[in-house]
Amino acid sequence: MAYASRFLSRSKQVQGSLVILQQHHAIPVRSFAKEAARPTFKGDEMLKGVFTEIKNKFQAAVDVLRKEKITLDPEDPAAVKHYANVMKTIRQKADMFSESQRIKYDIETETKEIPDARAYLLKLKDIRTRRGLTDELGAEAMMFEALEKVEKDIKKPLMRSDKKGMDLLVAEFEKGNKKLGIRKEDLPKYEENLELSIAKAQLDELKSDALEAMESQKKKEEFKDEEMPDVKSLDIRNFI
């Protein structure tokens, strides 16, 4: 494991394992050391609060990762599920959104001022695309078809304030969901599948980073005689 120790000390593994923290954008923070003649400004206190929050979230993530063995095997369902559970624990400890919660938050905040149903659906499409989500079932097209039908029936653009019209639209959505086999009671399962697919993608990226780092180190003279370890045997807890 000497080889693994040396390359991991400078690899992206710890950073990659904390990928969930990338939702929070760190900003440059100057020193908060006390200065005798320096006044305290409100902006400084706000900046200090942001810095402290990011630091606490990072520490919470590290505390969890020190206890959990993460296996870099995206093809093993058990490894993927365990990694997803570790990331869930980190989010809970650091008080951060899951992907599903983040999407819900984006929808609530970005559509709040949208008055008409068509612009609302277009914004949902934009959010889906931005978050890298695919529409394998064709639900998006179904929603626009439903809107076209309702607007044709009421003979005008559908506004979100039109309760009767929106009820008609929801009824059309429910018909479409039934055809697609989508049920409200299955939403927790859909959310879990989303988190598992994200976990698998992150594990795959971590594995690629580890292999790239090992290949790079192996080209150096000092490591040419060392055997490259199986990436699945690496344990980041040894290097945090």
Side-chain angles (χ1 to χ4, degrees), residues 11 52-53 58-59 76 82 86 97 105 114 141 149 153:
S11 77
T52 301
E53 180 182 0
F58 180 83
Q59 188 58 53
D76 180 3
H82 177 67
V86 171
F97 284 148
Y105 176 79
I114 294 178
K149 183 177 184 303
D153 289 342

Side-chain angles (χ1 to χ4, degrees), residues 102-111 127 130-131:
R102 169 58 62 183
I103 293 170
K104 182 180 179 181
Y105 176 79
D106 287 349
I107 291 173
E108 290 176 349
T109 56
E110 296 183 33
T111 64
I127 293 172
R130 196 171 70 229
R131 304 298 297 181

Side-chain angles (χ1 to χ4, degrees), residues 13-61:
Q13 290 308 293
V14 173
Q15 291 175 316
S17 296
L18 298 175
V19 67
I20 196 67
L21 289 176
Q22 292 174 0
Q23 296 178 46
H24 299 267
H25 305 290
I27 56 178
V29 181
R30 65 176 177 171
S31 171
F32 289 101
K34 292 182 179 179
E35 299 176 20
R38 182 179 174 278
T40 299
F41 296 102
K42 186 176 181 181
D44 289 339
E45 291 303 316
M46 291 176 62
L47 195 59
K48 183 177 180 180
V50 171
F51 175 82
T52 301
E53 180 182 0
I54 293 173
K55 176 183 155 186
N56 290 341
K57 289 179 186 295
F58 180 83
Q59 188 58 53

Side-chain angles (χ1 to χ4, degrees), residues 3-168:
Y3 181 92
S5 176
R6 275 177 279 184
F7 99 75
L8 271 178
S9 66
R10 287 174 289 184
S11 77
K12 299 177 182 177
Q13 290 308 293
V14 173
Q15 291 175 316
S17 296
L18 298 175
V19 67
I20 196 67
L21 289 176
Q22 292 174 0
Q23 296 178 46
H24 299 267
H25 305 290
I27 56 178
V29 181
R30 65 176 177 171
S31 171
F32 289 101
K34 292 182 179 179
E35 299 176 20
R38 182 179 174 278
T40 299
F41 296 102
K42 186 176 181 181
D44 289 339
E45 291 303 316
M46 291 176 62
L47 195 59
K48 183 177 180 180
V50 171
F51 175 82
T52 301
E53 180 182 0
I54 293 173
K55 176 183 155 186
N56 290 341
K57 289 179 186 295
F58 180 83
Q59 188 58 53
V62 171
D63 289 343
V64 173
L65 290 172
R66 282 198 179 104
K67 301 173 184 176
E68 299 288 346
K69 170 69 167 70
I70 293 174
T71 302
L72 300 182
D73 188 0
E75 304 310 317
D76 180 3
V80 173
K81 186 172 183 178
H82 177 67
Y83 177 78
N85 287 336
V86 171
M87 293 299 104
K88 181 179 180 180
T89 300
I90 288 174
R91 289 194 299 269
Q92 291 172 339
K93 295 284 187 182
D95 191 24
M96 290 155 44
F97 284 148
S98 67
E99 184 65 15
S100 299
Q101 290 168 333
R102 169 58 62 183
I103 293 170
K104 182 180 179 181
Y105 176 79
D106 287 349
I107 291 173
E108 290 176 349
T109 56
E110 296 183 33
T111 64
K112 186 166 53 175
E113 303 299 329
I114 294 178
D116 64 288
R118 185 171 298 278
Y120 176 85
L121 293 185
L122 287 172
K123 175 54 70 172
L124 293 187
K125 181 178 181 179
D126 174 64
I127 293 172
R128 177 188 64 76
T129 303
R130 196 171 70 229
R131 304 298 297 181
L133 302 174
T134 58
D135 180 23
E136 297 175 356
L137 295 177
E140 197 167 74
M142 178 273 293
M143 289 192 293
F144 278 100
E145 288 174 5
L147 177 61
E148 293 283 355
K149 183 177 184 303
V150 171
E151 289 188 333
K152 185 176 180 181
D153 289 342
I154 65 176
K155 297 181 175 59
K156 61 180 180 180
L158 177 60
M159 306 303 289
R160 295 174 69 192
S161 59
D162 181 352
K163 186 178 185 306
K164 184 177 179 180
M166 290 300 294
D167 287 344
L168 291 174

Side-chain angles (χ1 to χ4, degrees), residues 222-240:
E222 60 188 297
F223 298 109
K224 68 177 183 179
D225 296 326
E226 292 197 36
E227 183 179 354
M228 188 166 64
D230 183 349
V231 69
K232 289 184 287 187
S233 70
L234 302 177
D235 189 344
I236 66 169
R237 293 176 299 178
N238 296 327
F239 315 105
I240 296 178

